[in-house]
Amino acid sequence: MKTFNLSWGDRPIQLENENGHTFLRLGAELRVDVTDTSLDQLNRLAQVAADLADVRRDRIRATQVADEVAAEDGYRFVGVPYQRQAAA
């Protein structure tokens, strides 16, 4: 199995059909053939995506809380640093 890193930001995520095959496209560079994927694997993919969204929401909330506390203390902005980590 090969592992590689890809950052797609807000580029599209969509399904494509071509010659009887179904692909999951992530951005401009990655296309995954999901034609024969089992329902269990598709459900797992959906769960992983939901988990990633939860992580992102938690980071956003943490930043907002820090900003609110800073505002209460008379500061205009305080950022919360975090280390990017591999996920999924």
Side-chain angles (χ1 to χ4, degrees):
M1 176 188 300
K2 290 186 179 184
T3 301
F4 60 93
N5 295 320
L6 174 71
S7 176
W8 73 84
D10 288 333
R11 293 186 184 120
I13 299 172
Q14 59 195 21
L15 286 177
E16 295 178 350
N17 292 301
E18 183 179 299
N19 298 326
H21 286 269
T22 303
F23 299 92
L24 175 62
R25 175 164 297 280
L26 301 171
E29 300 297 322
L30 180 62
R31 191 167 87 157
V32 179
D33 188 343
V34 293
T35 303
D36 296 326
T37 306
S38 70
L39 286 176
D40 289 339
Q41 284 295 83
L42 291 173
N43 286 329
R44 179 67 187 130
L45 179 61
Q47 184 59 52
V48 167
D51 291 346
L52 287 172
D54 289 341
V55 167
R56 184 68 177 132
R57 274 188 213 93
D58 290 345
R59 285 184 179 170
I60 291 169
R61 281 190 206 119
T63 301
Q64 290 170 343
V65 168
D67 290 346
E68 289 170 9
V69 169
E72 291 172 3
D73 291 340
Y75 294 97
R76 291 182 61 185
F77 174 81
V78 172
V80 177
Y82 66 91
Q83 183 72 30
R84 289 187 181 262
Q85 299 175 4

